[in-house]
Each structure stands twice: as structure tokens, then as C-alpha cells.
Amino acid sequence: QLTLAAVAEKLHVNTSYLSGHFKRETGMGFSEFVNEQKINKAKELLEKTNLRLLEIADLCGFEDQSYFTKVFSKRVGMSPREYRNAICKSHPNSDR
């Protein structure tokens, strides 16, 4: 698990400084950025593999499938299952 505190410790800065600097540089909070990266990886796995949602949630660093589905749905506007189905319909001849 990647946390603000762990990154701040590695960089030898305090969490408040890192949090503010990160937000100024990226335009988003640290955990929002981390979740964005996790969701991008999940989208890739949904598009290119037949892994179960539970496996994808685990590989992307989510503690459980329910939270993964909640975060994914909020960021993408559809559930992971709906996303996979939409991708399959738009690419019917894919090798996935």
C-alpha cells in the first residue's frame, strides 16, 4: 500500500509539506492520484484479461472488491463489469 506517510518518510519531508506540494503540482490530492493510477491499471486488466473482478481488485491494491467497485464506478461512471461488457461490445473480435 502506497501511503502519503510512507512517501514523505522516504523523501525526508513531513506529510503536510508533501501533501500541499503534491496538490499544487498535480492538481489532485495524493490518495486521489493513487486511486486514479489504480483505476487506470484496473481498466487495462478489464480490457486485456479474463481475470475475475476480485483478482483485479487485489492486483490493483484494493482491499476488497466492494470498495474497488465503489471507487471504479465513481471515477468511470459505470461498474467494472459494465465497463468490461462495454469494451467487449466495442471490440467483439478481441482475443481477451
Side-chain angles (χ1 to χ4, degrees):
Q1 287 289 56
L2 187 61
T3 65
L4 181 67
V7 174
E9 185 177 327
K10 289 281 186 193
L11 296 174
H12 305 288
V13 298
N14 71 43
T15 55
S16 297
Y17 170 80
L18 180 58
S19 178
H21 186 73
F22 195 92
K23 179 98 175 175
R24 280 190 302 280
E25 292 297 319
T26 66
M28 62 179 81
F30 182 81
S31 40
E32 182 183 3
F33 177 82
V34 170
N35 277 341
E36 182 77 15
Q37 300 311 303
K38 290 178 179 182
I39 294 303
N40 288 340
K41 180 64 177 176
K43 287 164 84 174
E44 180 182 336
L45 292 170
L46 288 164
E47 293 169 17
K48 297 180 178 179
T49 73
N50 287 317
L51 293 172
R52 295 182 355 236
L53 295 182
L54 180 62
E55 294 170 301
I56 291 174
D58 185 54
L59 287 170
C60 293
F62 289 94
E63 292 185 23
D64 62 64
Q65 183 180 336
S66 175
Y67 183 64
F68 164 60
T69 299
K70 179 180 176 180
V71 172
F72 190 96
S73 298
K74 184 175 181 181
R75 299 289 301 167
V76 179
M78 64 180 82
S79 74
R81 190 172 319 280
E82 291 169 332
Y83 182 84
R84 178 176 266 167
N85 290 340
I87 292 300
C88 286
K89 286 180 184 171
S90 67
H91 300 97
N93 295 325
S94 94
D95 291 335
R96 190 184 68 76

